[in-house]
Amino acid sequence: SKAAQQNVTKPENLTTAKKTSLKTEVPSSSDDTPSTSLIALATPSPSIDPASTEDETNISTDLSTSDEDLEYEDEPVPTTREISIAESDVVMQLLLYSRADQNCESTGEGNGTENKTPTQLSNDLSEMIILFSQATFTKGLGTHPNQDDQRVPLMAWKSCAYTIHSLEWLTRDIGKPVLGDLSCRQQDCLEGLIRIAGVLGSTWKQEQVINGHAFRLLSLILENPSDGPSLLDWDSFGVLVPLTISIPSLFYTEQPIPIPMGTTLELHTLHLMFISNMAQIILTSDLQRDGIPMEQEEIDEPETECLREVIKILRGNIEVSTSAVWRIVQENSVPFLRCCVLFYHYLTGVPAPTVLTEVGGDTFVNMCSYLGLSSSCKELLSPTNVCTLIKKWASHEKVKMWLKQSPMVYRDPLAINKLVSLPDDYSELINTVSLFTCPNSDREDSRNPTMCLICGEMLCSQSYCCQTELNKILVGACTFHAHECGAGACMFLRVRECEILLLASPNRGCFMIPPYLDDYGETDQGLRRGNPLRLCRERYRKLQLLWLGHGIHEDIARAIESSNSLVATSWQHL
């Protein structure tokens, strides 16, 4: 064709045309979007043809030239074909969802047909999102479904935050990187759950409910009323998730609520909750023990001098090194930042750097760089209203009572929940059981004493004397305790039978081999052989990971499928 001959005889025309197309496709820069890693990558970039012979330097130079310097050709570069998304493709619908009234139209290549890309979620997917929110509401609060209840979207957001928390605990406990060794099941779970939580604010029919949640969360953080939760009560990441998703509704009252995609608004929200996390660490950490006293420190770095005012507000006039306190803040902020990396990675779809997928790469500086936060103490505390906000948090009555207690009680933000410690010798457990009596009988001993491995409480199992009514059904002591202690899923050790009991209320359970072995490496369920038993740390470690990874329900289901017993066990009576 004539266009093809022109391209062959004048190879510079294709390059010039590409320059023109690149110039017209570059989105206009906005002062509202900061040039940070997460925010900048969330903004779509112009597509560059790999067949172009120009290098990156020439392309950037061409983009900076004005329209008058470019030579426009008569033959435009053909546009790429846009493919419509099927209604069954849930992931792509969540990725490209918007609340536009009309679909975007694009002209097909060569045939002149028009393909429309859907900009709204399908009705089935919208109904499934609402159904999921109702399920978390009814299961979490133990109530009946109610579409008009304002707590429904909030419970969905809180379940999303707790799922991220639990996965962060698990990966940190086994020494895995924050984004490197997630299984396909964990990745799919996080991807779907976070994106559903992200679009929930836009798909909720009653927009005033979303506005109310955003207003109450901001009032909790900025006003901190005396009759509300204090700085010691709230979870910074647990507040960050619903605040990030609901806060755009305050600025789009007459327009559809946009989905959080890593804009300046999300960056300010993250900065606010990170300041809250820093204040919690300074308030609840033993600075005089962990930090280096002032007289032993050589010279405080000027970068950390801004911390002295914050320490004075929260802890009074204590002599500690600000450099040492800043190191404590950096170390104890790792769990919060790891959760934020998981949340914003799957919410915005911004690819993470390679260093975050390696063991030991999830450092304070690397995670702050990915999230767009400054890793400098001076820049984080530079806003003038930071100290005013911290003073308001410190003036709460609960915080004042916390500081007045003697001796001072401290918290460890890096602590991971673990099962109770068991003695190495099994005979010590037998001696403990011999002193245990049924709480409902003063004279009779318990026939089946059972220890909860989560809290360590001893229970009288499989006995009519300790049955309790639960949801209008008489259940045993273990089933009722599992409902109270583990939200229905719990792990027990039947001491006299020497076996592990897994329960998932109301009527599901299974038995497992205990973590105690004899000298030959064998278990003794039922204590029939009578050999001395010692605690196997590796087996108990597996039980710890099973409980920490929320795998009790899965193991019970596998045990039921592989069971050949013809007699059903009444698990609710245990």
Side-chain angles (χ1 to χ4, degrees):
S1 62
K2 182 178 180 180
Q5 294 177 359
Q6 186 178 4
N7 290 336
V8 172
T9 56
K10 297 181 179 181
E12 67 277 8
N13 294 342
L14 182 60
T15 304
T16 307
K18 288 176 181 177
K19 295 177 184 178
T20 305
S21 63
L22 287 175
K23 178 64 181 179
T24 56
E25 290 177 1
V26 173
S28 60
S29 60
S30 175
D31 297 337
D32 297 334
T33 304
S35 59
T36 55
S37 300
L38 183 64
I39 308 301
L41 288 175
T43 307
S45 58
S47 57
I48 301 176
D49 194 340
S52 175
T53 58
E54 301 290 338
D55 56 6
E56 296 180 357
T57 305
N58 295 334
I59 291 176
S60 60
T61 305
D62 295 333
L63 292 178
S64 61
T65 57
S66 60
D67 294 340
E68 298 177 356
D69 299 334
L70 297 176
E71 298 179 2
Y72 292 89
E73 294 295 326
D74 297 335
E75 296 292 337
V77 177
T79 58
T80 58
R81 180 188 298 272
E82 295 187 5
I83 304 174
S84 60
I85 302 172
E87 292 186 0
S88 59
D89 197 341
V90 177
V91 176
M92 291 304 298
Q93 287 191 55
L94 292 176
L95 281 173
L96 303 180
Y97 168 69
S98 66
R99 293 292 299 274
D101 295 333
Q102 298 180 354
N103 297 338
C104 299
E105 298 182 359
S106 61
T107 305
E109 182 180 359
N111 54 9
T113 59
E114 293 184 355
N115 295 326
K116 295 184 178 181
T117 303
T119 57
Q120 291 185 349
L121 296 176
S122 61
N123 295 331
D124 294 340
L125 184 56
S126 299
E127 293 177 359
M128 288 301 299
I129 293 176
I130 302 300
L131 181 61
F132 170 77
S133 304
Q134 288 288 338
T136 56
F137 168 73
T138 55
K139 185 65 177 178
L141 299 180
T143 183
H144 297 287
N146 185 4
Q147 296 182 358
D148 298 330
D149 199 307
Q150 298 182 359
R151 297 173 294 177
V152 174
L154 189 61
M155 286 300 300
W157 296 332
K158 297 297 288 185
S159 64
C160 176
Y162 177 75
T163 303
I164 298 175
H165 260 309
S166 61
L167 187 58
E168 191 276 329
W169 289 331
L170 179 62
T171 54
R172 183 155 50 91
D173 187 47
I174 59 182
K176 288 186 177 181
V178 62
L179 291 174
D181 293 331
L182 297 178
S183 63
C184 295
R185 183 177 182 180
Q186 292 171 341
Q187 291 180 5
D188 294 340
C189 173
L190 284 179
E191 185 177 13
L193 181 60
I194 292 175
R195 286 174 180 167
I196 286 177
V199 303
L200 183 60
S202 302
T203 57
W204 199 256
K205 297 180 181 179
Q206 301 175 357
E207 296 184 359
Q208 66 274 13
V209 174
I210 310 299
N211 295 340
H213 287 314
F215 180 77
R216 281 187 289 270
L217 289 173
L218 282 178
S219 300
L220 169 67
I221 303 299
L222 301 180
E223 296 297 331
N224 196 19
S226 58
D227 56 345
S230 66
L231 179 65
L232 298 168
D233 298 327
W234 69 63
D235 172 34
S236 296
F237 181 74
V239 177
L240 173 66
V241 172
L243 186 60
T244 300
I245 300 173
S246 62
I247 198 172
S249 63
L250 299 178
F251 302 93
Y252 294 86
T253 56
E254 298 180 357
Q255 299 178 3
I257 303 174
I259 302 174
M261 292 300 295
T263 60
T264 309
L265 185 60
E266 283 79 52
L267 181 62
H268 290 324
T269 306
L270 175 61
H271 189 187
L272 173 64
M273 298 315 302
F274 184 68
I275 295 296
S276 169
N277 183 71
M278 289 179 56
Q280 289 176 338
I281 293 173
I282 296 176
L283 181 62
T284 59
S285 299
D286 190 357
L287 304 180
Q288 293 179 329
R289 183 191 65 181
D290 297 336
I292 302 176
M294 189 64 184
E295 58 271 10
Q296 298 181 11
E297 183 72 12
E298 296 180 358
I299 298 177
D300 280 341
E301 299 178 2
E303 186 74 17
T304 61
E305 275 298 323
C306 55
L307 267 179
R308 190 164 302 281
E309 181 66 21
V310 177
I311 297 173
K312 182 179 180 181
I313 295 173
L314 294 173
R315 300 296 297 273
N317 296 321
I318 58 175
E319 294 296 332
V320 291
S321 170
T322 56
S323 299
V325 173
W326 177 240
R327 286 195 296 269
I328 295 175
V329 171
Q330 287 179 318
E331 294 174 0
N332 294 340
S333 297
V334 169
F336 174 80
L337 293 177
R338 283 169 60 95
C339 292
C340 293
V341 167
L342 287 172
F343 176 64
Y344 286 107
H345 172 70
Y346 289 102
L347 181 66
T348 63
V350 176
T354 309
V355 67
L356 292 181
T357 61
E358 300 173 353
V359 178
D362 50 353
T363 61
F364 178 83
V365 176
N366 293 336
M367 289 188 290
C368 285
S369 176
Y370 173 69
L371 294 171
L373 288 173
S374 174
S375 58
S376 171
C377 175
K378 186 176 181 180
E379 294 182 5
L380 287 172
L381 301 177
S382 59
T384 56
N385 53 359
V386 169
C387 290
T388 305
L389 184 60
I390 295 178
K391 288 180 181 178
K392 187 169 295 185
W393 293 341
S395 62
H396 199 279
E397 290 298 328
K398 292 184 179 179
V399 177
K400 293 180 180 179
M401 293 177 60
W402 170 274
L403 295 175
K404 291 180 181 179
Q405 61 182 347
S406 180
M408 192 74 173
V409 179
Y410 300 103
R411 298 178 182 176
D412 185 9
L414 299 177
I416 299 176
N417 296 332
K418 295 183 180 297
L419 299 177
V420 296
S421 300
L422 294 178
D424 292 334
D425 193 351
Y426 195 75
S427 60
E428 297 183 17
L429 281 178
I430 299 295
N431 295 333
T432 304
V433 168
S434 63
L435 302 176
F436 175 74
T437 58
C438 177
N440 295 329
S441 178
D442 297 336
R443 298 180 180 179
E444 296 183 2
D445 295 337
S446 176
R447 296 181 179 179
N448 296 286
T450 304
M451 175 188 290
C452 175
L453 295 180
I454 298 177
C455 64
E457 183 177 352
M458 193 70 70
L459 305 170
C460 180
S461 174
Q462 204 171 354
S463 177
Y464 290 101
C465 59
C466 292
Q467 285 188 347
T468 311
E469 184 176 351
L470 178 63
N471 297 329
K472 300 181 180 180
I473 300 175
L474 286 178
V475 297
C478 290
T479 303
F480 183 80
H481 183 79
H483 177 77
E484 297 293 328
C485 180
C490 204
M491 185 180 298
F492 302 93
L493 173 62
R494 293 164 61 91
V495 181
R496 289 184 178 173
E497 285 76 15
C498 190
E499 60 185 0
I500 296 294
L501 170 64
L502 301 182
L503 279 184
S505 63
N507 55 357
R508 293 168 64 88
C510 69
F511 294 111
M512 295 181 61
I513 57 177
Y516 283 91
L517 305 177
D518 57 13
D519 294 338
Y520 302 98
E522 298 179 353
T523 60
D524 188 10
Q525 289 184 256
L527 299 178
R528 295 181 177 88
R529 293 194 297 269
N531 295 331
L533 301 176
R534 305 287 297 180
L535 179 64
C536 179
R537 300 290 178 181
E538 295 180 0
R539 288 179 179 267
Y540 199 52
R541 173 67 175 170
K542 292 181 180 180
L543 292 177
Q544 161 74 18
L545 296 179
L546 173 66
W547 170 71
L548 192 62
H550 298 269
I552 293 180
H553 291 275
E554 183 178 354
D555 272 32
I556 291 176
R558 290 178 179 176
I560 293 176
E561 290 179 357
S562 60
S563 177
N564 297 324
S565 177
L566 300 178
V567 180
T569 304
S570 300
W571 301 105
Q572 68 274 14
H573 292 158
L574 295 181

